[in-house]
Amino acid sequence: MSFPYLTVTFALPAAGAIVTAAVPAARRTAAKWTALVFSLATLVMAAIVIVRFDPGGGQFQLAESHAWIKDFGVSYDLGVDGIGVALLALTALLIPFVILAGWHDADPLEEARPNRRWRPTQGFFALILAVEAMVVLSFEATDVFLFYLLFEAMLIPMYFLIGGFGDRAHSGGDEAAATQRSYAAVKFLLYNLVGGLIMLAAVIGVYVVAGTFSLTDIAHLRAAGDLSMSTSTGRWLFLGFFFAFAVKAPLWPVHTWLPSAMGESTAPVAVLLTAVVDKVGTFAMLRYCLQLFPEASKWATPVILVLALISIVYGALLAVGQRDIKRLIAYASISHFGFIIMGIFAMTSQGQSGATLYMVNHGISTAALMLVAGFLISRRGSRLISDYGGVQKVAPVLAGTFLIGGLATLSLPGLSPFVSEFLVLVGTFSRYPVIGIIATIGIVLAALYVLVLYQRTMTGPVKATVQGMSDLKVREVVVVAPLIALLIFLGVYPKPLTDIVNPAVHQTMSQVDRTDPHPQLEASR
Amino acid sequence: MDNLIALLIAAPLLGAAVLLCGGRALDRVGPLVGTVLSGASFVIGAVLFADMLGKGAGDRTMTQHLFAWVPVAGFKADVGFQLDQLSMTFVLLISGVGTLIHIYSIGYMAHDERRRRFFGYLNLFVAAMLLLVLASNYLLLYMGWEGVGLASYLLIGFWQHKPSAATAAKKAFLVNRVGDMGLSIAIMLMFTTFGTFSFGGVFGAAHGATEGKLTAISLMLLLAACGKSAQVPLQSWLGDAMEGPTPVSALIHAATMVTAGVYLITRSADLFNGAPTAQLAVVVVGGVTLLFGAIVGCAKDDIKKSLAGSTMSQIGYMILAAGLGPIGYVFAIMHLVTHGFFKAGLFLGAGSVMHGMNDEVDMRKYGGLRKYMPVTFVTFGLGYLAIIGFPGLSGFFSKDKIVEAAFAKGGTEGWILGAVTLLGAAITAYYMTRMMLMTFFGEERWRNTATASPDAPDVEPAAEERGRHAEPHPHESPSVMTIPMIVLAIGSVGAGAFFGVGDRFLRWLEPVTGHSEGNSPVSAGVVTAATLVLLVVGAGIAYLQYGRRPVPARAPRGSLLTRAARRDLLQDDFNHVVLVRGGEHLTRSLVYVDHTVVDGVVNGTAASFGGLSGRLRKLQNGYARSYALSMFGGTAVIVAATLLMRAV
C-alpha cells in the first residue's frame, strides 16, 4: 500500500488543532507558534500532493479506501481530481496567512485573569486548524456520506469562531458588539443547518437509489446503465444537494447570512469563511451536483444562471451602497460567487475551468483585500468607511497594498482574477450570449465599489481620526506581500494552474455529456 | 532582432517595479532611473526601426512569441508580440515623447517629495502603452489597454490629498470601464465567431464572416475606443483628468494614451472595412466630438481644460479619418503623430507658464507673458501655428489630408463630413488664437493680484512647496524643461513636411493599413484654399475679441451656448442627475430591500416550515450545545434511515 498522502494532509491540521488546544493557558505565544508550524507543515504536505498528482492520470488519484461503517455502506474513501487539488492547495496556502494575520486577535483583554482555564488564544487557533482539517478532508472525500458529515461538522468550529471572537473596539460598546456577533453566528448556523438538513434527505435518497455512497461506484453503475433513477427522482435529489450548496456558496436570495457573518467576525475569520469554507459549496456543485445528476443539472441550468446573474449584479449594487468596509467586501464576494456559479453551469470548458480558477483567485484576492482592511480596522477600531480618510498620506504602504487588493477584486488584467473572470464570461457567452453580456455590467460595478471604497478611506485630506496612524508592520507585510506576488504571478502565468484543472474539467464535461459550442467560422490558424 | 521586442516593454516595466517597490533610498536617483529606462526603450525602438527600414516593404513584420498565457480547450491566448509599421510608429512616438516628458518632469516635479513614485507610475504607463501597441492578440492588447487605464488613474490622482484629483481619477477609470465592457464583448464575439482572437486568425477569417457579426464586433470596438479616446458619449472624463500633473496631461491625456482608440480602429481595419454601418457610426462619433471638443475649448478659461477640449477635438479628426476606411487610415495615424508633437509641446508650454505663475491656470489672470518667458513663448507659438494648420507646419499637412479624405468619401456624406472638418478648422483657429492672445499678449493682468492661496484645495500642491502665493513673478523655466519643449517644437514644425512631401508616410504605412484615393468632388487645391480662408476667419474673430479689446479679468456672463460649453455642454449635469443620483437611489433602496424583504422573506419561509424564527430567538440565548446537538441529531437520522433501508 502506498503512502497515505491525503490522510496525512488532513491529519496534520487535525493533530495541530488538538496540540494547540492543549497548550497551557499561560503559554499563549507557544500556542500561536504551534498552530503556525502545523499549518506550514500542512502546506508542505499539500505541495507534495501537487507534485505527486499527475494531471494526465486517472480521475481520482492518490486514492485511499477503507471500510468504515460496513453495515450501511459508508467508507473512508479519499481521492483527488484536478479541481480538488487546486482547492486543497488554496486552503493549505491561505491558513498560515490567516493565522499570522490574526496573531493578536485572540489575546485576552485583561492580562491577569484569575481563571486558569480561560484560554481564548489556544481556542482561536485550534478552531482555525480544525476548520482547515475538515475543509481539506471535504475536498478529498469521494464518499457522499463522508462529505456530508464534514460539510455539516465544519459549521461547529466556524460558529464558535464567528460568535466568540470579534473586532476589539466597537462603536456600540462591548455589550452591543457581543449581541450582534451572536446574532450573526446563529444566523450563519441556522441557514447552513437548514441547507444541510435538506441535503441530508437527498443523501439518503442517493443511497436508496444507488445502494452505495461511493462516487466511483455510482459512476460505474451509471456507465454500465445499471443506475435506475427516474428523471423526477434525479431532479428532486439534485435540488436537495443544490440548495445546501447554494446556501453555503452563497447564491441570491439565500445570501444574507454572509454579510452579517463577515461583518461581525474578525478579518482573518472572515477570510477563512469566504475564501476557504464557502469554496466547499461551489466545489460541491461541480463535484456532486453535476456528476451525480447530469440530467437534472441541465434541466435546472436556466434558473440557476438567472439566479447567478442576479447575484452578480445585485451583490455589486449592494456593495456600492455599504457603509461598512467588511460588509462591502462581503457583498463583493456575493457578486463573485455569482460569477463562479455562472461559470459552472454554463457547461463549457472555459466556463468551468474559469470557475475553478475563480475559486482559487477569489480566495487569494479576497484574502489580500480583507486582511489589509483588517489591519486598517485594527488601527482605528471602526469598520465604518466614513471614519477614515487620507490614509495614504500617513500609511502609504497600507494604502498601496489595499489598492492592489482592490484592483484584484475588480479583476484588473495582469492580476490573476482577470483570467478567471474573463474565462467565465467567454464560457458563458459562447452558450448564452445575452446572459454573458449582462454579466459584463458586473465589471463596471466592481470598479465602482472598489474605487469608491479606496477614495473614501485612503485619499483626500488626512482626517483627524487617522492622524498618526502607523504603517504596516513587518508581520503584516509578511502576510500581504506573498499574496500580492501570487496575484501577479498567476495573472501573468496561470498555466501551472490551468494544466492541473483542465483535464478534470474535461472529465466533468464528458460526464455531463456536454461539448463546447463550435465557433461559427473555423479561422485559418 | 525579433527577440528585442520584449525588451521594449521590459525596460520601463523594470523601472516601474524598482521605483515602486524600492524604498526611500531611491528617492534621489529615482527620476534619473526612470528617465534612463524610458530612454533605453527608445534606443531599442530606434535600433529595431533601423533594422525594419533595411527590409523590403512586404516583410517588415516581426513577431516574438514568449509563452502560452491562458490555454483552456479552444481558448488560446498567448503572450506574443507583433511589430509592424503601425506598431513601430507608435513605439517611436510613445518612447520618444515619453522620454522627453520624463526629462521635463525632472524639472517640473523637482520639489515634490513623492517624485520617485511619480516616475514609477510614468514608467508603468510607458510599459503598458507599449504592450498595448505590440500585443499580437486582442486579449493581450486588453491587458495593455487596462494597464494604461491604471497608470492614468494613478497619475490623475497623483495628488491624492486633493479631493478633486481623487474624484477625477475615479471618474476616468469608471468611464473607461464602460468602454472596456465593449472591448470584452468584442473579444467574446470574436471567440464565438472565429474561434480565436489573435490578429492573424481574426483578420485572416474576417472576409468569411457575415456583415452582421462584423458590425457587432466593430461597434463594440468603437465603444472601447470612445472610452479611451474620450469621444462622445464617453468624453466626460478628459476635462477632469487635467487634475493630474501637467507632464501627465501632455504624455497620457494628449500625445499617447488617448489616441489608443485610433490605434484600435486602424488595427482592426479588416473588421471595419466589412462593416459599413459601423464605419458610419465611427465617422459620426468622430465628427460630433470634433465639434463638441472645439466648442468646449472656446469657452474654457482654464488653459489646461481648454487644451483638453482641443485634444478631444483633434482626436475626433483622427477617429473620423479612421472611420473613412482605407481612404483615411494613413492620415488618421499621420495626424496622430504630428498631434503628438504639437499637443505635447503645447501642454508642456502650459506647464511652463503655470510653473512661472504660481500654478495659476486661469488665462484671465495671464497676459503679456511673452517678455518674461521667451523660450516658452516661441515653442508654444510654434505649436500654436502647427495646430491651426499654418502653411508649412505639421498640422497643415496632416489636417489638410483629413479634410481632403472627408470630401473623398463621396456623395452627400462626403460633403457633410468635409464641411464639418472645415468648420472644425475654423473653430480650432479661433480658440487657439484666443489662448495665445490671452496668455502671451495684452495687458499684464496678473499685476497686483495674488494667486489663490495654497491652502485652497484646488491648487496644484507644488505651489505649497515653493511657498509663494502673493503676486506672481513670471520667469522662464530651467533648461531641463525648456529643452524637451524645443525638441517638440522642432517636431511640430518639421514632422508634417517630412511625412507629407513625397507621400513618405503613406508609403511607409500603406502595406499595413491599405489605402485608396476615393473620389473627391473638389480638388486638393480648393480644399487647401478653403482651409486657409477659414483659418484666417477663425483667427481674425479671436483677434477682434481678445487682441483689440482688453480681456476682462472676470469672465462675462456670455451667451447660452458659452455658458453651456463652460459646463462641458451639460454632459456632467446629465450624468449627475441620471447616473449618480439615480444610482444612489437604486443602491440605497436595494440595501433596504436586502435588509428587510430578502432577509425577511427567507427567514419567514423558514419560520413557516418549522417555527424556525421562534427557535432563532431561543437559540440566541446562547446554548451552543443545542446546535451541536441538532447537527448530530441530523447525523443520527441518516444513520437510522439507512439502517432502516437495509432492513427493508
Side-chain angles (χ1 to χ4, degrees), chain B residues 160-384:
Chain B
Q160 288 182 330
H161 56 272
K162 287 167 65 183
S164 55
T167 305
K170 181 190 69 186
K171 183 177 180 185
F173 197 97
L174 280 176
V175 175
N176 268 293
R177 266 263 151 154
V178 176
D180 296 347
M181 223 174 97
L183 190 52
S184 298
I185 296 174
I187 296 174
M188 296 194 280
L189 274 167
M190 287 176 202
F191 179 69
T192 55
T193 311
F194 305 113
T196 177
F197 37 82
S198 72
F199 289 160
V202 171
F203 304 149
H207 58 86
T210 60
E211 192 184 317
K213 283 280 173 200
L214 290 179
T215 306
I217 297 174
S218 303
L219 284 176
M220 287 298 120
L221 290 174
L222 173 63
L223 179 64
C226 283
K228 195 99 327 179
S229 291
Q231 299 293 294
V232 176
L234 297 180
Q235 86 295 345
S236 66
W237 62 273
L238 187 63
D240 295 3
M242 298 300 123
E243 287 287 340
T246 307
V248 171
S249 311
L251 177 60
I252 302 183
H253 305 119
T256 54
M257 183 188 85
V258 285
T259 59
V262 184
Y263 171 78
L264 186 69
I265 294 175
T266 311
R267 175 57 82 196
S268 314
D270 286 325
L271 299 173
F272 280 90
N273 290 348
T277 319
Q279 284 186 312
L280 180 65
V282 175
V283 288
V284 168
V285 164
V288 169
T289 313
L290 187 170
L291 295 178
F292 184 106
I295 291 170
V296 170
C298 295
K300 294 281 183 185
D301 288 332
D302 178 326
I303 186 168
K304 281 177 75 180
K305 293 206 166 162
S306 181
L307 281 173
S310 157
T311 302
M312 241 180 248
S313 165
Q314 296 299 316
I315 296 172
Y317 271 105
M318 301 169 208
I319 294 279
L320 185 147
L324 295 172
I327 309 172
Y329 291 128
V330 172
F331 304 126
I333 301 297
M334 185 162 131
H335 193 54
L336 190 154
V337 176
T338 58
H339 176 257
F341 283 117
F342 56 70
K343 188 52 69 63
L346 287 169
F347 263 109
L348 293 190
S352 175
V353 170
M354 289 158 57
H355 197 77
M357 291 290 290
N358 292 4
D359 299 304
E360 179 59 67
V361 289
D362 188 352
M363 292 189 287
R364 294 191 183 272
K365 295 181 182 157
Y366 293 167
L369 292 177
R370 65 182 185 284
K371 278 178 278 181
Y372 305 94
M373 307 178 177
V375 181
T376 305
F377 168 64
V378 172
T379 54
F380 195 94
L382 290 172
Y384 156 75

Side-chain angles (χ1 to χ4, degrees), chain B residues 556-566:
Chain B
R557 194 173 137 80
S559 69
L560 204 60
L561 180 65
T562 314
R563 275 179 284 150
R566 283 193 195 125

Side-chain angles (χ1 to χ4, degrees), chain A residues 71 145 156 159 187 189-190 200 255-256 314 331 392 410 413 443 454-455 460 491-492 502 519-521 523 525, chain B residues 67 69 71 146 160 166-167 170 174 177 192-195 587 591 594 599 603 616 627 631 634-635 638 642 646:
Chain A
D71 281 340
F145 184 79
I156 303 172
Y159 165 78
K187 198 171 173 184
L189 194 64
L190 279 186
L200 173 64
H255 63 275
T256 52
Y314 184 88
Y331 277 106
Q392 58 85 25
L410 64 77
I443 68 175
Y454 182 79
Q455 185 189 357
V492 178
N502 284 342
Q520 282 127 341
L521 284 171
R525 289 179 207 171
Chain B
F67 52 85
W69 180 23
E146 286 236 337
Q160 288 182 330
T167 305
K170 181 190 69 186
L174 280 176
R177 266 263 151 154
T192 55
T193 311
F194 305 113
T587 54
V591 170
D594 195 58
D599 213 18
N603 286 346
L616 180 84
Y627 319 139
M631 205 139 39
T635 316
I638 196 176
T642 23
R646 287 178 64 83

Side-chain angles (χ1 to χ4, degrees), chain A residues 365-386:
Chain A
S365 66
T366 305
L369 184 64
M370 191 61 159
L371 292 178
V372 179
F375 299 150
L376 178 72
I377 291 167
S378 71
R379 282 162 167 70
R380 171 70 182 75
S382 166
R383 306 193 317 241
L384 289 183
I385 296 170
S386 54

Side-chain angles (χ1 to χ4, degrees), chain B residues 5 81 127 206 336 378 396 449 522 561 648:
Chain B
I5 301 176
F81 306 119
L336 190 154
V378 172
F396 170 75
T449 47
V522 284
L561 180 65
V648 173

Side-chain angles (χ1 to χ4, degrees), chain A residues 35 40 42 92 148 176-177 195 254 258 294 303 338 358 407 436 438 447 500 505 514:
Chain A
L40 287 171
T42 313
Y148 167 74
V254 284
L258 185 71
V303 176
Y358 211 126
L407 292 173
I438 299 175
I500 291 178
V505 165
R514 276 287 209 181

